[in-house]
Amino acid sequence: MLLQLHGAMVAAHIEDCEGDILARRAHAGEITPKMAYYDTRMVNLYLTKAGATKGFVAEMAAAQTRPDVLSVSLSHGFPWANVEDVDAWMLVIADDQPQLATQLAEGLGRRFFDLRNEVTTRYLTISEALDHVGTRSGLCIVADMGDNSGGGAPGDATHLLKAMLARGMTSFASGLFRDPGVVRICQDAGIGSRLTLRLGGKTDVVSGDPIDLTARVMNIETGLGQHLGTGLEPMGTVVWLRLEGEVDLLVNDLRVQVYHPEAFEQIVIRLAEKPVVALKSLFHFYGPFNQVSDHIFSGCQPRRDPTGVSRPRTYQTKTTLLARSCAAVCR
Protein backbone atom coordinates (compact mmCIF):
# COMPACT_ATOMS: atom_id res chain seq x y z
CA MET A 1 0.00 0.00 0.00
CA LEU A 2 1.28 3.47 -0.93
CA LEU A 3 0.25 6.54 1.05
CA GLN A 4 1.11 9.49 -1.18
CA LEU A 5 1.31 12.36 1.31
CA HIS A 6 1.38 15.16 -1.21
CA GLY A 7 0.63 18.88 -1.19
CA ALA A 8 -0.17 20.47 2.15
CA MET A 9 -0.01 17.11 3.99
CA VAL A 10 -3.38 17.89 5.57
CA ALA A 11 -6.39 15.60 5.69
CA ALA A 12 -9.84 15.98 7.18
CA HIS A 13 -9.52 15.99 10.98
CA ILE A 14 -5.76 15.25 10.76
CA GLU A 15 -3.56 18.32 10.28
CA ASP A 16 -0.33 16.29 10.39
CA CYS A 17 -0.63 13.02 8.45
CA GLU A 18 3.05 12.09 8.77
CA GLY A 19 3.05 12.87 12.47
CA ASP A 20 0.09 10.58 12.93
CA ILE A 21 2.00 7.73 11.28
CA LEU A 22 5.05 8.45 13.44
CA ALA A 23 2.88 8.40 16.57
CA ARG A 24 1.67 4.94 15.66
CA ARG A 25 5.28 3.72 15.41
CA ALA A 26 6.02 5.18 18.83
CA HIS A 27 2.95 3.48 20.26
CA ALA A 28 4.34 0.18 18.99
CA GLY A 29 7.51 0.78 21.06
CA GLU A 30 9.90 1.02 18.13
CA ILE A 31 11.17 4.52 18.96
CA THR A 32 10.82 7.32 21.51
CA PRO A 33 10.56 10.36 19.26
CA LYS A 34 11.26 13.82 20.64
CA MET A 35 10.39 16.61 18.24
CA ALA A 36 11.68 20.16 18.00
CA TYR A 37 10.55 22.88 15.61
CA TYR A 38 12.09 26.13 14.47
CA ASP A 39 10.01 28.78 12.69
CA THR A 40 12.03 30.41 9.90
CA ARG A 41 9.27 33.00 9.32
CA MET A 42 9.67 32.58 5.58
CA VAL A 43 7.13 31.54 2.98
CA ASN A 44 7.93 30.89 -0.66
CA LEU A 45 8.43 28.08 -3.13
CA TYR A 46 11.85 26.49 -2.61
CA LEU A 47 13.21 24.57 -5.58
CA THR A 48 15.16 21.64 -4.16
CA LYS A 49 16.80 20.38 -7.34
CA ALA A 50 19.00 23.37 -8.04
CA GLY A 51 21.06 26.08 -6.40
CA ALA A 52 21.34 26.90 -2.72
CA THR A 53 18.29 24.90 -1.70
CA LYS A 54 19.80 21.75 -3.20
CA GLY A 55 22.91 22.36 -1.10
CA PHE A 56 20.82 22.88 2.03
CA VAL A 57 19.03 19.57 1.42
CA ALA A 58 22.46 17.90 1.37
CA GLU A 59 23.25 19.53 4.72
CA MET A 60 20.02 18.15 6.18
CA ALA A 61 20.78 14.68 4.84
CA ALA A 62 24.20 14.78 6.49
CA ALA A 63 22.68 15.91 9.80
CA GLN A 64 20.23 13.03 9.66
CA THR A 65 23.10 10.53 9.79
CA ARG A 66 24.11 11.69 13.29
CA PRO A 67 23.56 9.26 16.17
CA ASP A 68 20.07 9.43 17.71
CA VAL A 69 18.72 11.66 14.94
CA LEU A 70 15.65 10.00 13.44
CA SER A 71 14.59 12.66 10.95
CA VAL A 72 15.51 16.12 9.68
CA SER A 73 12.91 17.95 7.61
CA LEU A 74 12.29 21.36 6.16
CA SER A 75 8.57 21.91 5.89
CA HIS A 76 8.47 24.44 3.07
CA GLY A 77 5.05 25.68 4.01
CA PHE A 78 2.15 26.04 1.62
CA PRO A 79 0.86 29.59 1.17
CA TRP A 80 -2.57 28.42 0.06
CA ALA A 81 -3.26 26.10 3.00
CA ASN A 82 -5.80 27.18 5.61
CA VAL A 83 -3.73 26.01 8.57
CA GLU A 84 -2.16 27.97 11.40
CA ASP A 85 1.54 27.50 10.67
CA VAL A 86 1.70 28.16 6.96
CA ASP A 87 5.34 29.20 6.68
CA ALA A 88 8.59 27.22 6.50
CA TRP A 89 9.63 25.31 9.63
CA MET A 90 12.58 23.10 10.50
CA LEU A 91 11.57 19.86 12.17
CA VAL A 92 14.06 17.56 13.85
CA ILE A 93 13.09 14.29 15.50
CA ALA A 94 15.57 12.62 17.83
CA ASP A 95 15.26 9.32 19.63
CA ASP A 96 14.68 10.29 23.28
CA GLN A 97 17.06 13.29 22.94
CA PRO A 98 14.94 16.48 23.19
CA GLN A 99 17.92 18.82 23.66
CA LEU A 100 19.64 17.43 20.59
CA ALA A 101 16.47 17.93 18.56
CA THR A 102 16.09 21.52 19.76
CA GLN A 103 19.69 22.50 19.06
CA LEU A 104 19.75 20.95 15.62
CA ALA A 105 16.38 22.41 14.58
CA GLU A 106 17.42 25.91 15.60
CA GLY A 107 20.86 25.63 14.02
CA LEU A 108 19.53 24.46 10.69
CA GLY A 109 16.60 26.89 10.83
CA ARG A 110 18.91 29.85 11.33
CA ARG A 111 21.15 28.55 8.57
CA PHE A 112 18.18 28.43 6.19
CA PHE A 113 17.18 31.97 7.18
CA ASP A 114 20.71 33.16 6.46
CA LEU A 115 20.32 31.68 2.96
CA ARG A 116 17.00 33.45 2.36
CA ASN A 117 18.23 35.57 -0.53
CA GLU A 118 19.83 32.57 -2.23
CA VAL A 119 16.95 30.12 -1.78
CA THR A 120 14.11 32.50 -2.60
CA THR A 121 12.88 31.91 -6.12
CA ARG A 122 12.74 34.98 -8.33
CA TYR A 123 10.27 34.58 -11.15
CA LEU A 124 10.63 36.27 -14.50
CA THR A 125 7.87 38.02 -16.34
CA ILE A 126 6.92 36.41 -19.63
CA SER A 127 8.77 39.14 -21.50
CA GLU A 128 11.92 38.64 -19.42
CA ALA A 129 11.81 34.88 -19.91
CA LEU A 130 11.55 35.27 -23.68
CA ASP A 131 14.38 37.80 -23.66
CA HIS A 132 16.58 35.16 -22.00
CA VAL A 133 15.62 32.63 -24.64
CA GLY A 134 16.90 34.97 -27.32
CA THR A 135 20.42 34.90 -25.82
CA ARG A 136 20.83 31.10 -25.62
CA SER A 137 21.73 28.44 -28.13
CA GLY A 138 20.27 24.96 -27.94
CA LEU A 139 16.91 23.89 -26.58
CA CYS A 140 15.33 26.36 -24.14
CA ILE A 141 12.43 25.52 -21.82
CA VAL A 142 10.01 28.25 -20.76
CA ALA A 143 7.68 27.21 -17.95
CA ASP A 144 4.34 28.97 -17.66
CA MET A 145 4.17 28.51 -13.89
CA GLY A 146 1.05 30.65 -13.54
CA ASP A 147 -1.08 28.21 -15.54
CA ASN A 148 -0.17 25.14 -13.52
CA SER A 149 -3.26 22.95 -13.36
CA GLY A 150 -1.73 21.07 -10.42
CA GLY A 151 -2.24 24.26 -8.40
CA GLY A 152 -5.81 24.75 -9.56
CA ALA A 153 -5.28 26.84 -12.69
CA PRO A 154 -7.51 26.23 -15.72
CA GLY A 155 -4.71 25.18 -18.06
CA ASP A 156 -6.03 27.29 -20.94
CA ALA A 157 -4.14 30.56 -20.50
CA THR A 158 -2.96 32.25 -23.67
CA HIS A 159 -0.56 34.93 -22.39
CA LEU A 160 2.68 33.10 -23.16
CA LEU A 161 1.58 31.78 -26.54
CA LYS A 162 0.30 35.19 -27.55
CA ALA A 163 3.62 36.82 -26.58
CA MET A 164 5.65 34.25 -28.54
CA LEU A 165 3.54 34.67 -31.66
CA ALA A 166 3.70 38.47 -31.33
CA ARG A 167 7.49 38.27 -31.37
CA GLY A 168 7.37 36.28 -34.58
CA MET A 169 8.89 33.20 -32.93
CA THR A 170 8.75 30.05 -35.06
CA SER A 171 9.49 26.34 -34.80
CA PHE A 172 8.56 26.10 -31.11
CA ALA A 173 6.32 23.66 -29.26
CA SER A 174 3.83 24.51 -26.52
CA GLY A 175 1.31 22.69 -24.33
CA LEU A 176 -0.71 21.35 -22.73
CA PHE A 177 -3.69 23.59 -23.50
CA ARG A 178 -6.87 22.21 -21.97
CA ASP A 179 -9.64 22.99 -24.43
CA PRO A 180 -12.23 20.18 -24.76
CA GLY A 181 -14.14 22.15 -27.40
CA VAL A 182 -11.13 22.37 -29.71
CA VAL A 183 -10.38 18.69 -29.13
CA ARG A 184 -13.94 17.75 -30.15
CA ILE A 185 -13.82 19.89 -33.29
CA CYS A 186 -10.53 18.29 -34.32
CA GLN A 187 -11.88 14.80 -33.67
CA ASP A 188 -14.89 15.52 -35.84
CA ALA A 189 -12.73 16.99 -38.63
CA GLY A 190 -10.04 14.30 -38.50
CA ILE A 191 -6.28 14.15 -38.93
CA GLY A 192 -5.02 16.21 -41.85
CA SER A 193 -7.82 18.78 -41.64
CA ARG A 194 -6.98 22.46 -41.84
CA LEU A 195 -9.12 24.44 -39.42
CA THR A 196 -9.68 27.91 -38.02
CA LEU A 197 -9.93 27.51 -34.26
CA ARG A 198 -10.44 29.67 -31.20
CA LEU A 199 -7.97 28.31 -28.64
CA GLY A 200 -7.89 28.82 -24.87
CA GLY A 201 -9.05 31.71 -22.70
CA LYS A 202 -12.43 30.16 -22.01
CA THR A 203 -12.37 29.19 -18.33
CA ASP A 204 -11.17 32.16 -16.28
CA VAL A 205 -10.87 35.89 -16.90
CA VAL A 206 -7.19 35.79 -15.93
CA SER A 207 -6.52 33.16 -18.60
CA GLY A 208 -6.47 35.91 -21.21
CA ASP A 209 -8.43 36.14 -24.42
CA PRO A 210 -8.89 33.21 -26.80
CA ILE A 211 -6.52 33.17 -29.76
CA ASP A 212 -7.88 32.66 -33.27
CA LEU A 213 -5.59 30.30 -35.15
CA THR A 214 -5.42 28.52 -38.46
CA ALA A 215 -3.91 25.10 -37.89
CA ARG A 216 -3.54 21.67 -39.41
CA VAL A 217 -4.49 18.63 -37.32
CA MET A 218 -1.31 16.55 -37.36
CA ASN A 219 -2.30 13.78 -34.96
CA ILE A 220 -4.94 12.75 -32.42
CA GLU A 221 -4.25 10.20 -29.69
CA THR A 222 -6.34 8.87 -26.83
CA GLY A 223 -5.07 6.96 -23.81
CA LEU A 224 -1.60 8.50 -23.65
CA GLY A 225 0.18 9.06 -20.34
CA GLN A 226 3.28 10.77 -19.05
CA HIS A 227 5.51 9.77 -16.18
CA LEU A 228 5.58 11.55 -12.85
CA GLY A 229 8.33 9.60 -11.15
CA THR A 230 7.41 5.96 -11.66
CA GLY A 231 3.71 6.69 -11.94
CA LEU A 232 1.96 7.19 -15.27
CA GLU A 233 -0.40 10.17 -15.32
CA PRO A 234 -3.20 10.16 -17.93
CA MET A 235 -3.39 12.92 -20.53
CA GLY A 236 -6.86 12.28 -21.93
CA THR A 237 -7.36 12.85 -25.64
CA VAL A 238 -4.45 14.83 -27.11
CA VAL A 239 -4.45 16.79 -30.38
CA TRP A 240 -1.30 17.97 -32.16
CA LEU A 241 -1.91 21.20 -34.05
CA ARG A 242 0.64 22.78 -36.39
CA LEU A 243 0.58 26.49 -37.22
CA GLU A 244 2.56 28.28 -39.91
CA GLY A 245 6.25 28.46 -39.10
CA GLU A 246 6.27 24.91 -37.69
CA VAL A 247 4.72 26.01 -34.41
CA ASP A 248 3.40 22.87 -32.72
CA LEU A 249 0.72 22.97 -30.03
CA LEU A 250 -0.60 20.20 -27.82
CA VAL A 251 -4.28 20.53 -26.87
CA ASN A 252 -6.12 18.05 -24.65
CA ASP A 253 -9.38 17.57 -22.81
CA LEU A 254 -7.99 16.65 -19.38
CA ARG A 255 -6.66 19.28 -17.01
CA VAL A 256 -3.10 18.16 -16.31
CA GLN A 257 0.27 19.86 -16.23
CA VAL A 258 3.32 18.81 -18.26
CA TYR A 259 5.60 16.47 -16.32
CA HIS A 260 7.82 14.85 -18.91
CA PRO A 261 9.20 15.36 -22.45
CA GLU A 262 7.29 12.25 -23.50
CA ALA A 263 4.12 14.37 -23.39
CA PHE A 264 5.40 15.81 -26.67
CA GLU A 265 7.61 13.03 -27.99
CA GLN A 266 5.05 10.23 -28.00
CA ILE A 267 2.79 12.18 -30.33
CA VAL A 268 5.86 12.66 -32.58
CA ILE A 269 6.85 16.24 -31.72
CA ARG A 270 10.65 15.95 -31.63
CA LEU A 271 11.99 18.35 -29.02
CA ALA A 272 15.55 17.99 -30.29
CA GLU A 273 14.40 19.78 -33.44
CA LYS A 274 12.93 22.72 -31.50
CA PRO A 275 14.78 25.78 -30.19
CA VAL A 276 12.09 26.47 -27.57
CA VAL A 277 9.47 24.47 -25.70
CA ALA A 278 6.86 26.38 -23.70
CA LEU A 279 5.05 24.24 -21.17
CA LYS A 280 2.42 24.68 -18.48
CA SER A 281 3.83 23.43 -15.18
CA LEU A 282 5.14 24.65 -11.84
CA PHE A 283 8.13 22.48 -11.02
CA HIS A 284 7.38 18.78 -11.45
CA PHE A 285 8.67 19.07 -15.02
CA TYR A 286 12.14 20.18 -13.92
CA GLY A 287 13.96 16.87 -13.46
CA PRO A 288 12.97 15.21 -16.77
CA PHE A 289 13.33 18.39 -18.83
CA ASN A 290 16.66 19.20 -17.22
CA GLN A 291 17.90 16.02 -18.90
CA VAL A 292 17.26 17.52 -22.34
CA SER A 293 18.00 21.21 -21.73
CA ASP A 294 20.42 23.31 -19.70
CA HIS A 295 18.31 26.45 -20.20
CA ILE A 296 15.12 26.49 -18.14
CA PHE A 297 13.28 29.75 -17.47
CA SER A 298 10.19 30.12 -15.32
CA GLY A 299 7.76 32.95 -15.93
CA CYS A 300 4.67 34.46 -14.32
CA GLN A 301 1.53 35.47 -16.11
CA PRO A 302 -0.08 38.86 -15.60
CA ARG A 303 -2.35 38.87 -12.55
CA ARG A 304 -1.23 35.39 -11.53
CA ASP A 305 1.07 34.18 -8.79
CA PRO A 306 3.49 31.35 -9.64
CA THR A 307 1.02 28.51 -9.08
CA GLY A 308 -1.91 29.97 -10.93
CA VAL A 309 -4.31 30.25 -8.01
CA SER A 310 -5.54 33.44 -6.37
CA ARG A 311 -3.29 35.28 -3.94
CA PRO A 312 -2.88 33.42 -0.66
CA ARG A 313 -5.62 34.10 1.86
CA THR A 314 -4.71 32.36 5.10
CA TYR A 315 -7.35 32.66 7.76
CA GLN A 316 -5.55 30.97 10.65
CA THR A 317 -2.02 32.33 10.29
CA LYS A 318 -0.53 33.55 13.57
CA THR A 319 3.05 34.33 12.56
CA THR A 320 4.56 37.44 10.98
CA LEU A 321 6.26 36.26 7.83
CA LEU A 322 9.41 37.48 6.18
CA ALA A 323 7.85 37.12 2.75
CA ARG A 324 4.14 37.89 2.82
CA SER A 325 3.30 35.69 -0.13
CA CYS A 326 4.78 34.21 -3.26
CA ALA A 327 3.42 37.23 -5.07
CA ALA A 328 6.20 39.27 -3.50
CA VAL A 329 8.80 37.55 -5.64
CA CYS A 330 6.84 37.79 -8.88
CA ARG A 331 7.94 41.26 -9.93
Side-chain angles (χ1 to χ4, degrees), residues 12 32 38 183 215 223 231 245 258 277:
T32 306
Y38 185 83
V183 170
V258 174
V277 175

Side-chain angles (χ1 to χ4, degrees), residues 293-313:
S293 173
D294 294 326
H295 311 306
I296 297 178
F297 307 103
S298 297
C300 290
Q301 297 178 27
R303 298 175 293 174
R304 283 279 193 192
D305 63 70
T307 61
V309 294
S310 58
R311 300 299 187 211
R313 295 181 299 167

Side-chain angles (χ1 to χ4, degrees), residues 1-24:
M1 179 176 65
L2 170 66
L3 298 178
Q4 188 178 16
L5 304 176
H6 184 62
M9 308 297 183
V10 175
H13 312 300
I14 302 176
E15 290 198 351
D16 182 7
C17 301
E18 292 172 299
D20 182 71
I21 294 172
L22 193 62
R24 294 172 189 270

Side-chain angles (χ1 to χ4, degrees), residues 220-247:
I220 302 173
E221 296 283 354
T222 298
L224 299 180
Q226 55 176 332
H227 280 90
L228 175 58
T230 58
L232 193 64
E233 299 291 323
M235 296 170 60
T237 297
V238 182
V239 175
W240 169 15
L241 297 177
R242 171 160 285 185
L243 315 185
E244 287 187 9
E246 296 190 343
V247 172

